[in-house]
Amino acid sequence: MTKPVIGFIGLGRMGAPMAKNLLAADHPLIAYDIVPDKVEALVEAGAKAGSSCRQVARESQLIISIVPDSPDVEEAILGAEGVIQGVSAGDVLIEMSTIAPGVGRRVAAALDEKGVPMLDCPVSGGPQGAEAGTLSIMSGGPEETFQQYLPVLQVMGERIEHFGPSGSGYMVKLCNQVGCVITIQAVCEVLGLAAKAGLDVRKVWQTVGSGLAASRIMELLGPKMLERDYAPGFTLSLQEKDLRLVAAAADELEMPLPATTLVHQLIRSLSAKGKGELGTQALILALEDLANCKVEG
Ligand code: NAD
């Protein structure tokens, strides 16, 4: 396949390293973000500067977007200066944000009327996975489009699966978030109990983290909790957004999610205290508050 010109929209913690990997793989790329400094940083890495979502769509054949939430996707794709105003039949959108499956299906239907297929391809793996090009990518939408653009997805990710029609990828990502938040809370409770018992918390983390309770989250977020480093890879406010999407999907399916709901409330309590821009490892602060203990080591 000749390499299409890629219009890349959303150059945040995830988008910027993903776009850089595409540039490194010799894809011609036009970059756009509503924050001009973020565009400038990509231009320094070899991208052409985009001036709006519409203009980026006009000048590219493949558009990739990764912005925060459902309303941002609606604005970027369907807005007055959105992608839909600049596309031509035969262009393709790969939408990689975590948003409501229903919103994704509506955006896909609007683009379909213009002859533009859309894949929903949300990701997991955080900024580290984005930098390393090792993201997990969960896709929904037309299977033939998925097969055609798999080589582009392989630049950004390692484990890449197609799950079915439009919206399926977003739904898988919500399942993923259920696993993540419950595991983060599990790490908090392991370390919190160890601290309360007066144990060497780092030693407990090392030992428990090498046994059956080992997890990527224990490995990556455990040390940050111990060092009280709450700088965000993934913010609590984005996590809360994801849990709102999970709750809406669960309501629709009448699916009880008791543990997820509990963690959602703990995250909400931290947001209420102005801690939403901290990383998800700051969930430990909610437990510290409940237990009147300090986790450090
Ligand atoms: P971020 O806030 O760091 O970046 C989002 C970027 O989108 C920002 O630079 C913002 O200016 C830009 N943006 C917003 N609206 C726009 C618009 N209309 N047009 C152009 N640009 C626009 O967020 P992030 O951490 O990179 O996350 C992006 C998405 O990926 C979210 O849906 C998030 O849930 C998901 N995600 C994040 C992580 C993570 O660890 N950070 C992991 C997996 C998935």
Side-chain angles (χ1 to χ4, degrees):
M1 178 171 97
T2 52
K3 286 184 173 162
V5 176
I6 297 177
F8 202 105
I9 296 169
L11 307 168
R13 286 188 190 89
M14 298 298 287
M18 290 159 72
K20 283 181 185 163
N21 284 339
L22 290 166
L23 281 167
D26 290 329
H27 282 278
L29 189 138
I30 308 172
Y32 177 67
D33 193 289
I34 45 175
V35 178
D37 284 356
K38 298 193 179 183
V39 178
E40 201 41 54
L42 254 288
V43 168
E44 279 164 25
K48 200 173 148 192
S51 55
S52 70
C53 295
R54 174 196 189 135
Q55 178 261 341
V56 159
R58 202 182 299 130
E59 292 195 23
S60 54
Q61 291 89 50
L62 170 64
I63 301 111
I64 298 178
S65 55
I66 179 155
V67 294
D69 200 353
S70 304
D72 306 306
V73 170
E74 289 179 302
E75 171 74 21
I77 310 301
L78 303 182
E81 281 300 308
V83 162
I84 199 160
Q85 315 294 342
V87 284
S88 326
D91 292 347
V92 168
L93 171 67
I94 299 182
E95 209 306 297
M96 306 188 82
S97 320
T98 304
I99 63 164
V103 171
R105 282 193 292 271
R106 200 152 51 73
V107 172
L111 286 169
D112 194 52
E113 283 183 16
K114 297 233 165 191
V116 176
M118 168 176 147
L119 294 173
D120 44 299
C121 289
V123 300
S124 177
Q128 281 161 317
E131 273 158 40
T134 56
L135 293 167
S136 293
I137 303 180
M138 312 143 212
S139 179
E143 168 96 47
E144 63 277 16
T145 310
F146 173 76
Q147 292 302 342
Q148 190 182 350
Y149 286 93
L150 189 55
V152 176
L153 295 173
Q154 282 165 336
V155 174
M156 298 180 280
E158 231 164 46
R159 177 85 202 205
I160 304 165
E161 296 286 350
H162 186 257
F163 286 91
S166 178
S168 316
Y170 291 134
M171 198 62 228
V172 177
K173 172 67 186 181
L174 298 187
C175 299
N176 181 78
Q177 294 311 79
V178 167
C180 285
V181 294
I182 295 174
T183 310
I184 298 170
Q185 180 64 15
V187 175
C188 292
E189 294 192 18
V190 167
L191 302 183
L193 181 61
K196 195 76 177 172
L199 295 165
D200 179 333
V201 192
R202 184 166 284 270
K203 212 166 158 186
V204 171
W205 166 73
Q206 278 163 344
T207 307
V208 174
S210 331
L212 197 56
S215 68
R216 290 280 290 148
I217 285 175
M218 177 79 86
E219 183 190 330
L220 294 174
L221 296 188
K224 292 186 181 194
M225 290 179 193
L226 294 174
E227 286 150 26
R228 306 187 75 74
D229 168 9
Y230 306 126
F234 187 53
T235 62
L236 284 167
S237 69
L238 280 178
Q239 187 67 267
E240 198 192 351
K241 175 264 300 183
D242 289 357
L243 292 181
R244 267 189 282 113
L245 301 177
V246 169
D251 281 350
E252 211 172 294
L253 296 164
E254 297 188 25
M255 173 70 198
L257 293 175
T260 309
T261 306
L262 175 70
V263 185
H264 189 179
Q265 298 308 309
L266 292 172
I267 292 178
R268 190 166 278 172
S269 77
L270 291 170
S271 297
K273 289 180 180 165
K275 295 186 163 66
E277 292 315 302
L278 300 180
T280 46
Q281 67 274 24
L283 187 55
I284 191 77
L285 298 175
L287 188 67
E288 284 187 344
D289 203 30
L290 285 173
N292 193 24
C293 70
K294 189 170 180 186
V295 174
E296 201 164 22

